[in-house]
Amino acid sequence: MNKRIADLNRYLADKGLKITRQREAVAQVFFDTDGHISAEELYVKVSRSYPGVGLTTVYRTLKLLKEAGLAKERRFAEDSQGVFEKEDTARHHDHLICIRCGKIVEFKEPLIEKLQDEVAQRHGFSVEDHKMELYGLCSSCRTA
Amino acid sequence: MNKRIADLNRYLADKGLKITRQREAVAQVFFDTDGHISAEELYVKVSRSYPGVGLTTVYRTLKLLKEAGLAKERRFAEDSQGVFEKEDTARHHDHLICIRCGKIVEFKEPLIEKLQDEVAQRHGFSVEDHKMELYGLCSSCRTA
DNA sequence: GTATCTGCAAAACTTTTGCTTATTT
DNA sequence: AAATAAGCAAAAGTTTTGCAGATAC
């Protein structure tokens, strides 16, 4: 059940880097988080379970997770902070973003992915990854 | 031919804001720019034609352009700076990006847009705009 | 004449870096 | 024992804000 932690540790070992309590703590809390989380938010969350881990370490660990292909960073225009999400969930899901309240909903739509492949093929491309963001108004903002 | 400047001026007048040399300079250079540009880059570019315009004013004018619906801000994960592009070119087209050679192909796929609307509706959202980027290999990079 | 603007310097934020001590291997 | 990591504080980079003088209406 800690496959991802194992993946990270393998990556670290490979590179001659060390497995530390702090790295495991940050990674564990990160992997237990669904959706996006900023470095700052992750820091707060980690601090609850493992006090004494510094913000710097959170940043540095997130960087490692990105290098290891386990995390992905995104930046939304509305937000000054970058956010991170698990790479495997990042891979095939997209975002609905409310332009009024900023609410973000994740969704998956296999049909869209199929169409993306078709369009790409028509242009001679193979698709490795994609990013899609839909901007609009969520139900509460629409009725308000 | 300066339709967009006129649009901006109308917006300013409407809001009781003033049309100034600096705002026109920033807007003009921005509208003459294709693709994305950061505030800093725009500042440098503006300074060449209209020296003495401050970076602060560039930021403030870009903010106005966004409010007026004439500019759009984006942030890419790789970059710490936000970038801006003209709203009308940003609208309703999507990008195929080759991850090896960087080639970018623009395309439109009405069927995908229709699906986007459906998905959004399912989550209670209305769609005002969208952004989609497909990353893969173009034909020449695939065969190479 | 009054309200808005500009540009500067300073502040606010997010992220990175240098350094000393601590930990992992 | 040698090398890497952690945490702090400080720096760096981007964007915003306060303010005094300037400009548009």
Side-chain angles (χ1 to χ4, degrees):
Chain A
M1 68 157 115
N2 273 333
K3 182 188 165 313
R4 288 191 187 111
I5 294 283
D7 287 343
L8 173 60
N9 289 349
R10 205 169 309 126
Y11 175 83
L12 293 174
D14 257 30
K15 291 250 175 182
L17 305 177
K18 294 169 181 171
I19 298 167
T20 65
R21 268 176 296 107
Q22 291 92 330
R23 280 178 182 164
E24 288 214 24
V26 173
Q28 189 61 67
V29 174
F30 174 71
F31 291 140
D32 286 347
T33 301
D34 289 319
H36 336 96
I37 190 163
S38 69
E40 182 76 36
E41 286 163 348
L42 184 54
Y43 166 65
V44 170
K45 219 170 156 189
V46 168
S47 298
R48 282 200 282 268
S49 334
Y50 309 86
V53 173
L55 178 56
T56 306
T57 298
V58 172
Y59 272 105
R60 288 199 267 231
T61 304
L62 282 168
K63 198 176 174 189
L64 284 173
L65 288 169
K66 277 201 296 182
E67 286 166 19
L70 296 166
K72 203 157 212 265
E73 186 174 3
R74 308 186 101 105
R75 299 185 110 93
F76 295 100
E78 307 68 38
D79 205 343
S80 50
Q81 285 186 313
V83 291
F84 299 81
E85 61 188 348
K86 286 171 269 186
E87 161 64 17
D88 54 351
T89 66
R91 211 151 193 80
H92 289 294
H93 80 243
D94 301 300
H95 296 104
L96 267 164
I97 301 160
C98 181
I99 53 181
R100 188 163 315 157
C101 70
K103 180 174 162 192
I104 297 180
V105 173
E106 296 179 357
F107 69 93
K108 274 183 78 119
E109 181 50 60
L111 240 66
I112 290 183
E113 296 188 25
K114 213 172 141 202
L115 270 172
Q116 289 173 338
D117 279 338
E118 284 174 23
V119 173
Q121 208 164 48
R122 215 177 301 149
H123 291 276
F125 274 69
S126 63
V127 177
E128 305 292 326
D129 196 5
H130 76 262
K131 197 177 342 176
M132 182 164 70
E133 291 158 19
L134 305 183
Y135 297 90
L137 292 172
C138 71
S139 46
S140 25
C141 286
R142 210 130 36 84
T143 55
Chain B
M1 71 157 113
N2 273 333
K3 182 189 165 313
R4 289 190 186 112
I5 295 283
D7 287 344
L8 172 61
N9 290 348
R10 204 168 310 123
Y11 176 82
L12 294 173
D14 257 31
K15 290 250 175 183
L17 305 176
K18 291 171 182 171
I19 298 167
T20 65
R21 269 174 298 109
Q22 290 93 330
R23 280 177 182 166
E24 289 214 22
V26 173
Q28 190 62 67
V29 175
F30 174 71
F31 291 139
D32 287 346
T33 301
D34 288 320
H36 338 94
I37 191 163
S38 69
E40 183 76 34
E41 286 164 347
L42 184 54
Y43 165 65
V44 170
K45 218 170 156 189
V46 168
S47 298
R48 282 202 282 268
S49 334
Y50 310 86
V53 174
L55 178 57
T56 307
T57 299
V58 172
Y59 272 104
R60 288 197 270 230
T61 304
L62 282 168
K63 198 176 173 190
L64 284 173
L65 288 169
K66 278 200 296 183
E67 286 167 20
L70 296 166
K72 203 151 214 274
E73 185 174 3
R74 313 181 79 173
R75 298 184 112 94
F76 295 100
E78 310 69 38
D79 205 342
S80 50
Q81 285 186 313
V83 290
F84 299 81
E85 62 187 347
K86 286 172 270 186
E87 159 67 16
D88 55 352
T89 65
R91 226 183 183 65
H92 287 312
H93 75 244
D94 301 303
H95 296 104
L96 267 164
I97 301 160
C98 180
I99 53 181
R100 187 161 318 157
C101 70
K103 181 174 160 191
I104 297 182
V105 173
E106 293 181 0
F107 69 92
K108 276 185 77 120
E109 179 51 60
L111 238 66
I112 290 183
E113 298 190 20
K114 207 172 145 206
L115 270 172
Q116 289 174 338
D117 278 337
E118 285 175 22
V119 174
Q121 207 165 49
R122 215 176 301 150
H123 291 276
F125 273 69
S126 62
V127 177
E128 305 292 326
D129 196 5
H130 76 262
K131 197 182 336 180
M132 181 164 72
E133 290 156 19
L134 305 183
Y135 297 90
L137 292 171
C138 71
S139 46
S140 27
C141 286
R142 210 130 36 84
T143 56

